[in-house]
Amino acid sequence: MFAKVLSTAVVGLDGVLVEVETEILSGLPSFNIVGLPDKAVEESKERVRSSLSNIGADFPSKRIIVNLAPGDLPKEGPSFDLPIAISILVSTGQLTADLSKSIFLGELSLNGTLRLTRGILPAVLLAKERKIENIFIPQENVFEASIVEGVNVFPATNLKEVFFHLSKQKLIEKAEYTPYEAIGDDLLYEYDMRDIKGQEFTKRAVEVAVAGGHNILLKGPPGAGKTLVAKTIPSILPSLTFDEAIEVTKIYSISGLLNNKQFVKVRPFRNPHHTTSHIGLIGGSANPKPGEISLAHRGILFLDEFPEFGRAVLEAMRQPMEDGTVFISRARERVSFPCRFMLVAAANPCPCGFWGDKTNQCRCSLSQILRYRKRISGPILDRIDMHIDVPAVEAVKITGESEEAESSREVKKRIEAARKRQNKRLLGRKSVSNSEMSTRDIKELCVLGQEVLDTLKQAMMKLSLSARSYYKVIRVARTIADLEGSEDIEKKHVLEALQYRPKKSLET
């Protein structure tokens, strides 16, 4: 008897409908799965066999063929265990039910228990898009799925519950829809802006960078507070919008990184080690998976010890930083992952770290300093909007009494207000923040007065700004104006933005 059950696979970030077809034929007992299955799918044969036996179902001693269609789409992971088991129950006549409007997804343990499974959110979104009414998933994935309205989500703890529901012996209670606003995001951050002594200029620069989503490089001697400042950034990041949260959660879902959160409402903060490989940072492998730049989508990618990263690894970031999307091509497929992140990089000025420091003498030769700086290419530096020199903090500011600095909560309020102004201005466009504005957006939305244009013209000549740098200055100036609540970009905004460009001596 022939049976067909619907399931899903993930290509890039999107779900693709997969038909699980099962046919029981006469002949010597065998169990074959076709349709480009990987090793995990092949091993589902043993999990399904054991699960069916443990719930008291009969496993046919005949020739079983399972086809995962379309046949040219690679199938990977154990999520096909549940649909394969259901299709065998239907094809053997042990279960009679209309399955045409249901999707099944879940990994089975040997005793029939359903385990936490990757890629549930893309499957639920696909069900909604295709107007498929029901989806059956593991209980542990219920919160991830319940955020989508318009689909009947049935969370089950084991295969027997699904069988009883489909045979109408005992129905599974449908999961309730969880509104995005009902998901809490109150976090106790380990680092707060008020804990940073001194470094007012650096904190101001970080506030501007976060408000507009601008890439920023912090350069200074060891102990100056570069890493501390960077680690306070999560406490001032604006909350994710619903659409952004869906994108980020899909990335974490297919990567198996949701754990107990099941939904991402807080902007990501990724901090990979400088020994991270090209694939680890950019993404890839035989079956392409998101790398750190995609895991940082709509959040922060913090690269500490920036020059210590492999040159080839950093160079591979050039196109994703510009486009906000990384394309990974393999012989069988080409997938894309979003990677619209804010880069925060920290670096020492030289190998020993004390070049230009007033209190410690640099021990590096000129050739060592030049080699160290050449580890980061000009094109990469040119894609960083803001270059900040972080000096060592004076002892009196650490030990002496001083006024309490602003808390992260106060800074975050200004940033969220600036983001709202940006969202209103950029409504209907592809960009969602000032850093993403295209050249056309800048020309249409950032009308500059003659005084501002004259200031920019002088800056281009004196600082030898590239065309990319010219527009980056305007983007940063627009963010400064938004923080101030100004409708127009004024001369003072441009002058502050120019302070965040690299000094001429550091560009050579």
Side-chain angles (χ1 to χ4, degrees):
M1 182 178 175
F2 174 80
K4 181 172 73 173
V5 174
L6 298 179
S7 187
T8 64
V10 176
V11 177
L13 285 188
D14 300 319
V16 177
L17 204 62
V18 173
E19 297 178 353
V20 180
E21 302 172 335
T22 299
E23 184 75 75
I24 309 295
L25 304 172
S26 59
L28 294 174
S30 62
F31 192 174
N32 295 310
I33 300 177
V34 298
L36 289 183
D38 71 348
K39 185 65 175 175
V41 180
E42 284 283 353
E43 290 175 347
S44 69
K45 293 185 289 189
E46 301 306 322
R47 292 191 295 271
V48 169
R49 189 194 307 270
S50 178
S51 297
L52 290 174
S53 299
N54 279 309
I55 69 168
D58 294 329
F59 191 84
S61 298
K62 295 183 178 181
R63 185 183 175 198
I64 304 171
I65 299 177
V66 175
N67 177 41
L68 306 178
D72 60 347
L73 177 70
K75 319 298 187 308
E76 61 173 347
S79 62
F80 296 103
D81 291 1
L82 179 59
I84 289 174
I86 296 297
S87 67
I88 290 176
L89 289 172
V90 173
S91 62
T92 55
Q94 299 176 74
L95 176 63
T96 302
D98 180 14
L99 307 179
S100 61
K101 296 181 179 180
S102 299
I103 286 177
F104 298 84
L105 211 64
E107 176 187 353
L108 290 169
S109 63
L110 295 180
N111 65 357
T113 302
L114 283 165
R115 298 179 183 273
L116 185 71
T117 303
R118 298 182 182 184
I120 294 296
L121 183 58
V124 180
L125 292 170
L126 176 67
K128 181 178 181 179
E129 179 187 339
R130 294 292 190 92
K131 295 181 171 55
I132 299 174
E133 298 176 0
N134 312 311
I135 183 166
F136 293 82
I137 61 170
Q139 176 66 45
E140 293 183 69
N141 293 101
V142 62
F143 193 61
E144 175 186 352
S146 63
I147 198 69
V148 180
E149 190 176 14
V151 180
N152 299 323
V153 177
F154 294 101
T157 57
N158 53 58
L159 176 58
K160 185 177 286 188
E161 287 186 5
V162 179
F163 175 81
F164 284 162
H165 179 93
L166 295 174
S167 59
K168 294 182 171 56
Q169 298 180 48
K170 184 179 180 181
L171 298 181
I172 300 172
E173 186 176 352
K174 184 175 67 174
E176 293 185 5
Y177 165 65
T178 305
Y180 180 67
E181 296 75 17
I183 303 173
D185 61 349
D186 293 333
L187 293 176
L188 293 176
Y189 295 103
E190 183 179 359
Y191 302 96
D192 193 283
M193 280 286 185
R194 66 156 59 98
D195 300 327
I196 302 174
K197 301 291 185 180
Q199 304 295 12
E200 283 77 13
F201 179 77
T202 303
K203 288 192 287 185
R204 167 63 177 176
V206 167
E207 178 182 342
V208 172
V210 174
H214 304 287
N215 300 326
I216 184 170
L217 172 63
L218 305 174
K219 185 184 294 184
K226 304 184 297 296
T227 302
L228 177 60
V229 170
K231 289 186 175 180
T232 62
I233 290 178
S235 66
I236 62 174
L237 288 173
S239 300
L240 287 167
T241 65
F242 177 72
D243 291 338
E244 290 174 338
I246 288 289
E247 275 188 319
V248 175
T249 304
K250 284 167 67 176
I251 295 171
Y252 277 69
S253 177
I254 67 173
S255 303
L257 296 176
L258 283 180
N259 300 323
N260 296 324
K261 291 187 297 185
Q262 299 301 300
F263 198 79
V264 180
K265 196 174 182 179
V266 178
R267 292 186 184 272
F269 182 87
R270 304 295 298 182
N271 182 14
H273 192 261
H274 59 77
T275 57
T276 300
S277 66
H278 179 284
I279 290 177
L281 192 68
I282 305 301
S285 81
N287 296 308
K289 288 289 183 290
E292 290 289 342
I293 63 172
S294 295
L295 294 172
H297 180 59
R298 295 302 176 192
I300 303 295
L301 178 65
F302 175 42
L303 300 184
D304 204 358
E305 304 297 342
F306 195 45
E308 301 298 333
F309 282 81
R311 186 180 179 91
V313 175
L314 294 181
E315 292 302 304
M317 291 175 54
R318 286 163 59 172
Q319 177 265 329
M321 286 174 66
E322 197 76 14
D323 300 340
T325 304
V326 58
F327 295 93
I328 300 173
S329 299
R330 293 293 180 265
R332 294 184 298 185
E333 59 185 327
R334 183 175 188 261
V335 300
S336 64
F337 296 112
C339 57
R340 187 69 70 178
F341 59 89
M342 172 184 159
L343 174 65
V344 179
N348 294 325
C350 66
C352 78
F354 295 112
W355 186 86
D357 188 34
K358 297 178 181 178
T359 57
N360 295 278
Q361 185 176 359
C362 177
R363 302 185 301 273
C364 305
S365 65
L366 181 59
S367 60
Q368 287 177 319
I369 295 174
L370 291 175
R371 282 198 302 271
Y372 186 76
R373 293 182 178 182
K374 285 181 179 179
R375 293 180 182 180
I376 307 173
S377 69
I380 287 290
L381 290 175
D382 204 36
R383 283 168 169 80
I384 298 177
D385 306 6
M386 303 171 66
H387 297 244
I388 310 301
D389 289 329
V390 184
V393 183
E394 297 176 6
V396 66
K397 291 187 177 181
I398 300 175
T399 59
E401 293 184 4
S402 60
E403 294 182 6
E404 188 174 355
E406 275 190 310
S407 67
S408 291
R409 186 181 296 273
E410 294 169 321
V411 176
K412 184 175 180 177
K413 287 180 181 178
R414 289 199 299 271
I415 290 173
E416 289 185 329
R419 283 288 180 111
K420 287 179 181 178
R421 295 185 184 100
Q422 294 171 49
N423 293 337
K424 183 179 179 181
R425 185 187 310 115
L426 297 169
L427 188 65
R429 298 175 184 264
K430 292 183 179 180
S431 309
V432 297
S433 64
N434 288 336
S435 65
E436 299 174 23
M437 286 194 299
S438 65
T439 304
R440 176 179 293 180
D441 291 336
I442 292 173
K443 291 178 179 179
E444 294 177 356
L445 301 176
C446 301
V447 180
L448 305 176
Q450 189 59 46
E451 185 181 24
V452 173
L453 287 171
D454 291 341
T455 302
L456 284 169
K457 183 178 179 180
Q458 293 177 22
M460 283 199 73
M461 292 186 294
K462 290 183 178 180
L463 300 178
S464 301
L465 297 181
S466 65
R468 181 186 285 117
S469 298
Y470 170 79
Y471 287 110
K472 285 189 180 299
V473 170
I474 297 176
R475 292 186 185 101
V476 174
R478 179 65 265 176
T479 300
I480 296 169
D482 286 334
L483 282 169
E484 196 176 275
S486 173
E487 289 295 327
D488 300 318
I489 299 176
E490 300 175 10
K491 181 180 178 179
K492 62 180 180 180
H493 303 142
V494 172
L495 291 175
E496 182 179 349
L498 289 170
Q499 292 183 63
Y500 303 137
R501 294 304 304 164
K503 306 298 185 292
K504 181 66 177 176
S505 60
L506 299 180
E507 288 183 320
T508 56

